Amino acid sequence: VTAIYERSQISQAVSAFQRAETLSDIVFVFCSPVDERVVAAQNAINTLDLYGFIPAYALFLVAAAIMLGGLRNRWTQAAIVFGLLGAAFDAVETWKQLQLTADIDNAEAHLPIATWHWLKYLALALNGVAVTSLALTGEKRRWILAVIAFLPLPTVVIAYMDLAPVTAFSAAFALYWISLLVFSVIELVRAKGSPA
């Protein structure tokens, strides 16, 4: 991958393929004639995404929701459902990308990819809304987490309306997930330090 893209270009290239709707979008990503090195790079990224990253973040979002509210909490259940839906839409999106690159001469038959891209991010943003509700309705109010978890939804909507670049919601998700990870570690340390 790094033989084809600079590190700063990888996320842009991935995002452009994920938002492909027309044949011209595919030409933009893979050039004309098709650059087989770009195909190989995108395949490497998407294979890792499908079998590594998607299952990992799905498990993380489920575990974080359970930690925040317990399995019987309705907001926990909503967070789990939206997290798993997002991962499922992501898996379909990535599978379609791999099918397209395997049959790139008939790329148009595998379009659009963008539908699954936006469904994925909408579901993951709604996971954030459910986590916001968990953070505000628990015994301990977690205001900072609540605000950060809510941010992906408006940024996804704004980006979908072409009023902001996709980097805006990517940054919002990064902030949300990193904050959730930090909060989870803090809670784990506190739990281990508490008396039995």
Side-chain angles (χ1 to χ4, degrees):
V1 173
T2 54
I4 302 301
Y5 300 116
E6 296 289 331
R7 290 193 181 277
S8 60
Q9 296 174 325
I10 294 173
S11 63
Q12 295 171 347
V14 168
S15 181
F17 190 14
Q18 290 176 343
R19 291 179 288 113
E21 295 180 348
T22 65
L23 198 52
S24 62
D25 296 329
I26 297 302
V27 171
F28 176 79
V29 174
F30 295 101
C31 308
S32 183
V34 171
D35 187 334
E36 292 297 335
R37 298 171 310 151
V38 176
V39 172
Q42 288 283 351
N43 280 342
I45 291 166
N46 286 318
T47 300
L48 181 61
D49 192 21
L50 186 61
Y51 297 108
F53 184 61
I54 294 171
Y57 82 68
L59 182 61
F60 168 65
L61 292 176
V62 168
I66 293 170
M67 180 205 65
L68 282 167
L71 198 49
R72 294 186 180 203
N73 186 302
R74 64 180 180 179
W75 290 116
T76 299
Q77 294 164 4
I80 290 171
V81 167
F82 286 126
L84 292 177
L85 271 176
F89 291 143
D90 198 353
V92 173
E93 170 199 70
T94 307
W95 178 79
K96 284 181 69 68
Q97 288 176 291
L98 289 167
Q99 293 295 305
L100 186 151
T101 52
D103 186 29
I104 200 153
D105 291 335
N106 299 304
E108 200 165 13
H110 302 280
L111 294 172
I113 305 293
T115 304
W116 300 101
H117 168 80
W118 291 113
L119 285 172
K120 165 187 72 178
Y121 280 115
L122 177 60
L124 294 174
L126 290 172
N127 163 267
V129 172
V131 168
T132 295
S133 300
L134 276 171
L136 293 177
T137 58
E139 289 180 15
K140 287 169 45 179
R141 300 288 192 272
R142 299 172 174 105
W143 295 100
I144 295 173
L145 180 62
V147 171
I148 292 172
F150 187 77
L151 286 177
L153 181 61
T155 55
V156 166
V157 171
I158 291 168
Y160 179 75
M161 296 167 64
D162 288 328
L163 299 175
V166 293
T167 52
F169 72 76
S170 295
F173 274 108
L175 180 62
Y176 166 39
W177 286 8
I178 290 169
S179 299
L180 197 55
L181 181 60
V182 169
F183 178 81
S184 300
V185 170
I186 290 169
E187 289 295 303
L188 180 63
V189 169
R190 283 180 181 163
K192 284 194 174 288
S194 64

